[in-house]
Amino acid sequence: MAGLGLATRLYRGDAGLNIIGKKKVWFSVALTVLLITVLSFVFRGPQLGIDFTGGNKFQVPASVGDAKQVESAIAKAVTDVDPKGKTLAAVKIGGGEASYEVKTTSLNPDQSFKVKTALAQKFGIDVTKISDTQVSGAWGSQVTSKALTGLAVFLAIVIGYLVIRFEWRMAIGAVASLILDLTLTAGVYLLVGFEITPSTVIGFLTILGFALYDVVVVFDKVQENTGGILARNTMTYPEAANLAVNQTLMRSINTGLVALLPVGGLLFIGAGLLGAGTLKDLGLVLFIGMGAAVYSSIFFATPVLVWLKEKEGRVAAHTQRVFARRASLVEKGEDGVPTPRVPVFVDGGTLAPKPGQRPVSRPRKR
Amino acid sequence: MAAPQGQLRVKWYFISLLSITAVLFALVFGTGSGSFTDRLKPRLGLDLQGGTSITLQTKTSDNKPPAKDKLDEARNIIEQRVNATGVAEPEVVVEGDRNIVVNIAGAQTGDGFRALVAPAELRFRQVVTSTPDIDEAAVNATPSPSPSASGSPAPSASPSASASPNAAVSPTPEATAKPSATPSASASAAPSATPAPSGSAAPSPSPTVNPDVAKRKEEALASAKAAVGDANWQLAQQLIDNPSQFQGHEKDVYNQLKPFGKLTGAQVDALPLKMQFGVYNISCKQLGERPPGAVADPTQNVVACGKDTNTDPKTKKKTTSWTKYVLDVASVLGTDVADATGSYDTGWKVNMKFKSAGQDKWTELTKKAYNGGQNATQQNGTDRVAIVLDNAVVSAPAIQGVINGDAQITGSFSREDVTNLAAQLRFGSLPLTFEQSQAQTISPTLGSAQLKAGLLAAGIGMLLVIIYSFFYYRLLGTVIFLSLIMSAILVFGALVLLGRQIGFTLTLAGIAGFIVSLGVAADSFVIYFERLKDEIRDGRSPRSAVPRAWARARRTIISANAISILAAVVLYIFAIGTVQGFAFALGLATVLDLVVVFLFRHPIMAAFASTKAFLSPRVSGLGRVLNKPTEQGDTIISTNPKEA
């Protein structure tokens, strides 16, 4: 490759990676992901937060003592009001003023107030310095059921939009890659055992938007490259699609990076400084999901699209035609120069190619 | 594209952008109040400034969302009720199709308020019998504790015969109030004479009880039996079957049955009704800790406690005592109450109005209670009607006549008592039943810590994006930098303005939404710049590449942003709570990003394209593309088509 490193070729949009040709690899990756997710769902099950199981959460300023002290104080206060009450380990939460967060089993408002007063007394602080959250299990399931409705409506609208803006095969490709993202993200959550909170559910929904957004950019290029391709015999549909993926590869990577950088910041602050809560939950699911979205927009959406396209009669016939033509060019003694260079040149010239269409316009330059 | 023309266009783009910004900030300052800096403050959510938030979810029997007007009505009642407590600027909003959220910003003790808002089901039940709640001190203080055999009736039980049954509007017969009047130590402790009067008293679960609940009750009952031990269980059985045989031995029985005093609320709830009432050791505290809704079923007889505050006339010292009641089925419900207000003439009292259907039921109930009171053989307070809210008896006034109009509850009330009781009666008349699905108090210090952390996260995100853009796009990074600043200014203005106009509050989830939108905003650059690189690779001069790249990139950016906005809108419509705040922030930022893309980035690129610096490959970040336009042409061309 003329001594050019992959990075440079990527930068130039000329990586020339054969992505479409390795469809089977990508499909087996997707299948494996699906399998792992299903298996971990069956064998591990999701780790649901108190928003789904119901419970109370107390936050005590960290200035009162160390985690163990806070934990045992809360455990005692809780068993005082409810002998059956259980307490989870204290989690330190950073930020401007650090505090400890302790989750407990469900308490009624009266009991939780007693716990707060007991804690305030024990640590000699004002009751208003202690925060508490009380959640019934209904809350989480309500958020989730709303989210699922949202998901269904969103998918319906988006499929409609994609069918109008592109075509139905692209809509399927996009939705398939979306499903892969969600599966991948869910798989990671199940495998690692991250806690699922309503924030996670929100993050999940955001991934939908981002994943589709990302695919749309790639498909936009595919559509551009393959516009009117059947009228010419220079390049097959899979080749044009592969080229589009290569051309947008750097963009995909850049997009992935610029999208993941702020989310990384969110995760870093959320987990590193705050320790828990909305920011961490959101940051984590977004980081995993967006990473998955970048992967699937490159390695899954377009292969699915091409696979569907190849099932279409005229595309398959066209591919045959192109191969036949190339074979005849080789026979005519083009000396192994593999390429449809001449036809491209002719076609490109007459059709006044669009700017992004490098293989068509480049020869003109020479 | 002639330069002068381009220049002119650029100018107008900037002017429109500046006008939008100017108008936005004119509104920000024009519609606000307070000092200059006050007007620049966005509305912060509770998680960022501290406060109390309670989410009430409607419970309907068929699990369908309730009618919109009912939800609104409930919202109004709750708002009035919260306002009545004098809390500053409470925010009561309907969220989604079945939630009502009550928010109070700033430092709050929160818990009193929380109890006030706590969903309650109001029931009116005739008192079957009552006994004072006793504790160990009381048992040991006197050889024969209060539950003595003497069946002297509760003082108030003696009905004032002055009742004029036909006095339609607020009849004189006070539905006399509980406290002072209710049993003191001398109250009857011999419920034996009249255990629950009818078969309905049997605590067997009604057929409508959900099997889960029934199962849980069974388990709780089993664990309660285990906890008290067999011998004690049998003793308790004997006690409730025939209390008179233990007369004079109450102290012994009490000490024997001590394990009953350690049962949890759930275990107590599972006990047979007679045992809940008849075993002295089961305290009102335990009865109060029964799970919510334990006494809500109107078709069941229940045991509940009422608190009596007695003021010693000599020392003026207040003492609190509790009374246990056995209560009949609830024939009048909170939904039958039309209104309740507190007023004062000779003393504080509460006036109750009933709805037409409720009035009949109420009249029927008072007739029953009044007749019960007239019946000399049943002097256990059966002339009283208990007002039961949640697990507790709020008030148990004696009925002094058949009331076929509005009712008055009088007694030695304080003003506060009356306000609370009236509010509870009104609140109890909510058209819907609610369950508290989330409640939180965030301390103000924690809120501001979260805000700082959120802003820090946003700052770090922005910085990383800018660093990367400078690294990758060099001088073009400046464009990204400037547009992000521009976006930030617009977003901030919109945030303040929308907070004021439509009450949009910035929450932690909203900040996360903005951070995510950073990625989307930066991506529209990537699309544009990569396009630009394509054009330049194709041999165009940067100056002519800019408009062509723009035309192509615009299409992609619009389709891609459309998806983002779509996602935000759908999320906003279908989601609830923090999800909505997140979606709103994401959508707002995406729309503003489009504004910045069209009115700022495109014109500034057009302006850049005509400068020398832009043409210098080293500065513009397009350098590496410009540098070696030809040398690898062959390799690239040959690789592409062959592979697929």
Side-chain angles (χ1 to χ4, degrees), chain B residues 32 57 59 98 100 253 400 426 445 465 480 489 555 608:
Chain B
Q57 187 187 356
K59 295 291 280 181
R98 60 172 70 211
I100 290 179
V253 175
Q400 303 188 326
R426 273 204 311 272
T445 42
V465 167
I480 299 185
I489 292 173
R555 211 173 95 98
F608 258 44

Side-chain angles (χ1 to χ4, degrees), chain B residues 101-116:
Chain B
V101 180
V102 185
N103 287 330
I104 296 181
Q108 290 289 330
T109 46
D111 296 275
F113 153 76
R114 185 189 279 190
L116 242 112

Side-chain angles (χ1 to χ4, degrees), chain A residues 223-241:
Chain A
Q223 193 190 34
E224 184 186 316
N225 280 9
T226 57
I229 193 171
L230 297 183
R232 286 169 272 139
N233 287 336
T234 52
M235 210 179 193
T236 65
Y237 190 94
E239 284 165 358

Side-chain angles (χ1 to χ4, degrees), chain A residues 12 59 132 213 224 255 355, chain B residues 439 441 446 523 537-538 552:
Chain A
R12 296 164 38 89
Q59 288 187 359
D132 70 313
Y213 170 101
E224 184 186 316
T255 298
Chain B
T441 52
L446 193 67
D523 181 62
R537 232 184 337 247
D538 286 340
R552 299 288 316 166

Side-chain angles (χ1 to χ4, degrees), chain A residues 243-266:
Chain A
L243 180 62
V245 174
N246 272 292
Q247 284 168 330
T248 49
L249 202 55
M250 198 57 219
R251 190 225 59 105
S252 295
I253 293 170
N254 271 348
T255 298
L257 274 172
V258 291
L260 284 176
L261 283 176
V263 173
L266 192 70

Side-chain angles (χ1 to χ4, degrees), chain B residues 66-112:
Chain B
K68 182 89 175 68
D69 53 334
K70 287 229 169 144
L71 201 58
D72 285 337
E73 192 189 331
R75 193 206 74 86
N76 283 333
I77 294 172
I78 295 177
E79 185 167 46
Q80 282 170 14
R81 186 153 162 59
V82 177
N83 272 325
T85 64
V87 179
E89 289 187 46
E91 186 185 273
V92 184
V93 288
V94 172
E95 188 185 81
D97 52 9
R98 60 172 70 211
N99 282 354
I100 290 179
V101 180
V102 185
N103 287 330
I104 296 181
Q108 290 289 330
T109 46
D111 296 275

Side-chain angles (χ1 to χ4, degrees), chain A residues 164-177:
Chain A
I164 294 167
R165 170 76 173 73
F166 298 107
E167 57 165 317
W168 68 266
R169 290 179 188 82
M170 288 198 176
I172 292 186
V175 172
S177 94

Side-chain angles (χ1 to χ4, degrees), chain A residues 1 4 11-12 16 59 113 131-132 134 136 142 165 205-206 213 220 224 239 251 254-255 355 365-366, chain B residues 99 436-437 439 441 443 446 468 523 531 535 537-538 552 556 559 571 582 621 632 634 639 641 643:
Chain A
M1 287 276 154
L4 280 168
Y11 181 87
R12 296 164 38 89
Q59 288 187 359
F113 181 61
S131 297
D132 70 313
Q134 185 208 351
S136 81
Q142 198 189 357
R165 170 76 173 73
L205 290 172
T206 315
Y213 170 101
D220 196 57
E224 184 186 316
E239 284 165 358
R251 190 225 59 105
N254 271 348
T255 298
K365 208 162 48 181
R366 300 148 157 262
Chain B
N99 282 354
Q436 184 174 305
S437 64
T441 52
S443 83
L446 193 67
Y468 183 78
D523 181 62
R531 220 9 129 161
E535 296 294 332
R537 232 184 337 247
D538 286 340
R552 299 288 316 166
T556 314
S559 353
L571 269 187
F582 175 84
Q632 319 92 342
D634 289 315
T639 50
E643 281 170 6

